[in-house]
Amino acid sequence: MSKKHYVIWKGLKTGVFDSWPQVKTLIDGRSDAQYMGFDSKEIAEAAFKETYTRALMARSLQKSGGNKASSTKSQAPKSTPPKVTNRSVSHSDINIYCDGACSPNPGKAGTGIAVYHGTTPTTLYYGLYDANGTNNSAELLGMLEAFKLALPFIEQNKTVQILSDSKYSIDCITKWAAGWKKKGWTRGKNEAIKNLEVIQECFERYTKIKNNITIAHVKGHANIEGNELADRMAVYARLNSTKDLTVYSEKLNVADILAMASG
C-alpha cells in the first residue's frame, strides 16, 4: 500500500508532508487552514504547484465520476462553467447574495455570500459550518450575515439589496416573525419554531435596517451569477468544514469559481 502524502496550502507551514501527525500540528486551530491528502508524492507535489481551489475542484470531479488523472493539473475541470444569464440584479449600489448548502439534509451545512458593488463582484465569504445543520438553518445564517454586512454600507448612505433563493428565510423574517414575537415566539397552538435563535437575531437586525434595504427572492440554480457564486461558497464551506465566516482569498476568477462543486 502506497504511503499517503499531504499538501498544506495554508497553515503554520506550507508544502508537501508525509506524516499526518505533523500535518495536524500545523493546521490545528486554524479556521483558514487549507490541506488535502493524496495517494502519492508525485500527485501531491503537482497539486502544491496549483491552488487549493483547483485541487478541490479536481477532487469534486473525481468523486462525481470524472476520470482519475495522474496529477492535479490534469484533473482540472475541462467542462464549461454554467452560462450566466444575469450578472447581478442590480437595483442598488450594493447587492448581497446569500445562500446555504447542506448534504445530506439534515447533515453537513455551510453558508456562502457574494457582495456586489453594482454589477461587479467584490468580495466572497464562506463558512458557518454545522455538522448537524439543515438547508433552512444555513440559509437563515446567510441572511443574518448579509444584514451584518449591509450596515456599514447603509451608514455610507448607499442603497443595499439582499438577495436569497430561500423563500422560507425571507418569509420568516419579513412576514412571520412579527406575529411570532407577539405570541411569545411560538406558532399557533404554542408550536415550537424551528431555528428560533437565528430567526430572533435576524428579525432584531432587520427591524433596525428594514427602511434602508430591499430584500428580493431570486430563483436558485437559474444561472444568476451572484446566486451561483454564493452557492459555490456555501458548498466550499461545507466541504472544508469552515466554521468562521471567512473571506475567500483566492483570485476572484468568476469562471473558475463557477466550475467548483455546486449545491
Side-chain angles (χ1 to χ4, degrees), residues 25-80:
T25 64
L26 298 174
I27 61 172
D28 267 359
R30 293 183 63 102
S31 62
D32 64 341
Q34 295 181 349
Y35 62 96
M36 192 178 295
F38 296 90
D39 292 333
S40 74
K41 185 176 181 181
E42 180 184 5
I43 297 175
E45 289 176 341
F48 186 54
K49 294 176 182 178
E50 302 286 348
T51 65
Y52 174 66
T53 301
R54 290 185 69 85
L56 188 65
M57 288 158 55
R59 180 66 53 86
S60 297
L61 285 177
Q62 258 193 341
K63 288 183 177 179
S64 63
N67 292 327
K68 187 173 181 180
S70 61
S71 71
T72 296
K73 186 171 183 178
S74 62
Q75 291 172 8
K78 296 178 175 61
S79 58
T80 303

